[in-house]
């Protein structure tokens, strides 16, 4: 790790506009420090924002507000989150380890980089690390890579569990731009697919800083499930994960939400399956049909074909878990 300077600031106004290759923000540091150790990130100055952003988790009638500096643990153990937004708590507790959750900030979770092995190996081509250098994973070790939404520019997947639940629940991201304007980005539009700029993970404007995450009130407080399949049970990223939530009237599904991690460059919503499930009776046969619809166009790479049946099983299991609560 190269030497760096550390600055501590106290207001959002001081934060805005400071991000660049040589000056980067740091909160919990659970991702950035790893990148610095591997020389993937080499900032000359770190800007400590821990005193400048809110760590509150508050619930009002219309929405839940999560401050940018609220740790993953604080969010997962909040009474209102557990009672009214249990999918969020379940997803966070499936991620990383207690030590990481105690340090990781909520905003930082949204901004974490991929765990593709080629991104971390500075001796290999990687479009995400070095634009227009190529994607080594396409013909290389792509066991953990994408099966949806990828192209020849990048096959990496987004690593977050928290973000999968936020995608399922139609969250919004509040931020302040470099010129001090408040903006709101729908979570479905926050992260991006590779397109022609795979080195850009999200649509947050340059110099902007996340201040809050908002989740609108919903009826998904009783029938939720988070299923995560991974190589080991602690401190491992998802091979595939599923966030499922059902609003039910008796045995009939009034509304469904399904999202996955480990399958694409961003948290992936299964919109066709959600539409299919609406108004249907909550049975295993119906779930299987919905999952077939959701996964019919997926195209695995050379080493990750196992993800398709694994994902199908995880989707059905998550939906069954929702009903059996």
């Amino acid at each position: 790790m190269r030497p760096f300077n550390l600055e501590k600031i106290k207001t959002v106004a001081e934060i805005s506009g400071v991000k660049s290759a040589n000056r980067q923000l740091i909160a919990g540091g659970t991702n950035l420090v790893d990148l610095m150790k591997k020389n993937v990130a080499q900032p000359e100055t770190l800007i400590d924002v821990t005193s400048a952003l809110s760590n509150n988790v508050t619930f009002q009638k219309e929405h839940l507000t999560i401050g940018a500096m609220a740790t993953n643990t604080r969010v997962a153990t909040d009474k209102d989150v557990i009672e009214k937004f249990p999918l969020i708590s379940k997803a966070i507790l499936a991620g990383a380890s207690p030590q990481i959750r105690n340090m990781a900030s909520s905003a930082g979770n949204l901004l974490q980089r991929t765990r593709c092995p080629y991104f971390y190996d500075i001796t290999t081509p990687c479009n995400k690390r070095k634009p227009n250098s190529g994607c080594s994973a396409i013909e290389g070790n792509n066991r953990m890579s994408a099966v949806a939404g990828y192209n020849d520019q990048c096959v990496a997947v987004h690593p977050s569990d928290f973000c999968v639940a936020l995608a399922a629940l139609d969250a919004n991201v509040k931020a302040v731009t470099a010129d001090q304007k408040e903006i709101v980005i729908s979570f479905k539009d926050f992260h991006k697919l590779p397109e022609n700029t795979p080195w850009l993970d999200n649509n947050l404007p340059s110099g902007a800083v996340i201040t809050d995450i908002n989740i609108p009130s919903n009826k998904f407080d009783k029938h939720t499930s988070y299923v995560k399949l991974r190589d080991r049970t602690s401190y491992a990223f998802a091979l595939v994960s599923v966030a499922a939530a059902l609003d039910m009237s008796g045995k009939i599904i009034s509304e469904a939400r399904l999202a996955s991690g480990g399958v694409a460059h961003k948290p992936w919503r299964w919109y066709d399956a959600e539409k299919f499930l609406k108004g249907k009776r909550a049975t295993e046969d119906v779930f299987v049909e919905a999952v077939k619809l959701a996964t019919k166009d997926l195209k695995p790479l050379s080493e990750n074909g196992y993800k398709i049946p694994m994902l199908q099983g995880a989707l059905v299991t998550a939906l069954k878990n929702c009903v059996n609560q």
Side-chain angles (χ1 to χ4, degrees):
M1 183 187 294
R2 65 182 290 178
F4 60 89
N5 299 313
L6 179 65
E7 298 177 6
K8 193 175 182 69
I9 55 180
K10 296 182 178 180
T11 67
V12 173
E14 293 178 84
I15 300 173
S16 298
V18 303
K19 286 189 284 187
S20 70
N22 295 325
R23 293 165 60 84
Q24 293 190 31
L25 308 182
I26 186 168
T30 56
N31 187 200
L32 180 56
V33 172
D34 284 345
L35 296 174
M36 293 171 66
K37 288 178 179 178
K38 295 288 187 179
N39 290 314
V40 177
Q42 297 182 323
E44 294 179 359
T45 301
L46 295 182
I47 312 296
D48 182 349
V49 301
T50 54
S51 298
L53 298 168
S54 170
N55 65 356
N56 293 328
V57 180
T58 57
F59 175 71
Q60 297 177 339
K61 186 176 181 180
E62 295 82 13
H63 59 265
L64 178 80
T65 299
I66 300 170
M69 270 307 304
T71 65
N72 285 186
T73 295
R74 182 166 188 161
V75 177
T77 58
D78 181 83
K79 180 180 178 181
D80 286 322
V81 173
I82 293 172
E83 292 181 355
K84 301 178 177 66
F85 303 87
L87 186 59
I88 296 295
S89 181
K90 292 175 182 179
I92 291 175
L93 293 176
S97 65
Q99 295 92 333
I100 296 294
R101 295 194 295 266
N102 288 343
M103 288 296 298
S105 68
S106 293
N109 196 294
L110 273 59
L111 299 174
Q112 64 181 304
R113 307 302 305 276
T114 182
R115 263 56 179 195
C116 177
Y118 297 105
F119 177 69
Y120 275 78
D121 183 355
I122 62 174
T123 68
T124 61
C126 171
N127 285 325
K128 185 172 285 295
R129 176 171 29 80
K130 185 179 180 180
N132 302 313
S133 63
C135 175
S136 296
I138 291 180
E139 301 296 334
N141 179 3
N142 51 44
R143 174 177 174 269
M144 295 187 70
S145 299
V147 294
Y150 64 85
N151 61 17
D152 61 1
Q153 296 289 306
C154 183
V155 296
V157 297
H158 194 270
S160 173
D161 292 291
F162 184 23
C163 288
V164 178
L166 291 173
L169 296 179
D170 288 331
N172 294 304
V173 179
K174 291 183 65 177
V176 174
T177 64
D179 56 357
Q180 296 298 293
K181 293 181 180 178
E182 291 189 354
I183 60 172
V184 178
I185 305 174
S186 172
F187 205 83
K188 67 181 178 63
D189 299 321
F190 184 79
H191 296 100
K192 62 184 292 297
L193 295 178
E195 301 167 333
N196 293 319
T197 54
W199 50 90
L200 298 178
D201 296 325
N202 56 67
N203 291 307
L204 188 70
S206 177
V209 59
I210 297 171
T211 57
D212 301 288
I213 303 164
N214 290 331
I215 307 172
S217 295
N218 56 62
K219 296 181 180 180
F220 302 114
D221 57 341
K222 293 182 175 63
H223 303 286
T224 64
S225 176
Y226 193 81
V227 172
K228 181 178 182 178
L229 301 177
R230 47 190 165 173
D231 286 328
R232 57 184 184 272
T233 57
S234 178
Y235 200 64
F237 299 99
L239 299 173
V240 299
S241 63
V242 177
L246 299 177
D247 173 24
M248 299 182 63
S249 177
K251 294 293 184 179
I252 304 301
I253 301 168
S254 301
E255 190 172 1
R257 299 286 175 85
L258 278 174
S260 283
V263 300
H265 197 257
K266 62 184 289 184
W268 194 258
R269 277 283 291 273
W270 305 105
Y271 291 108
D272 288 343
E274 291 177 1
K275 292 177 182 177
F276 176 84
L277 289 169
K278 188 172 182 178
K280 300 289 196 311
R281 193 170 184 83
T283 66
E284 183 171 354
D285 288 344
V286 168
F287 296 156
V288 169
E289 287 301 310
V291 169
K292 287 180 180 178
L293 179 65
T295 60
K296 63 182 176 64
D297 295 324
L298 298 185
K299 296 180 179 180
L301 297 164
S302 59
E303 296 182 357
N304 67 357
Y306 74 92
K307 279 195 175 188
I308 307 301
M310 178 181 282
L311 173 63
Q312 291 170 334
L315 285 162
V316 172
T317 297
L319 288 166
K320 288 168 65 177
N321 288 347
C322 288
V323 175
N324 294 332
Q325 291 181 350

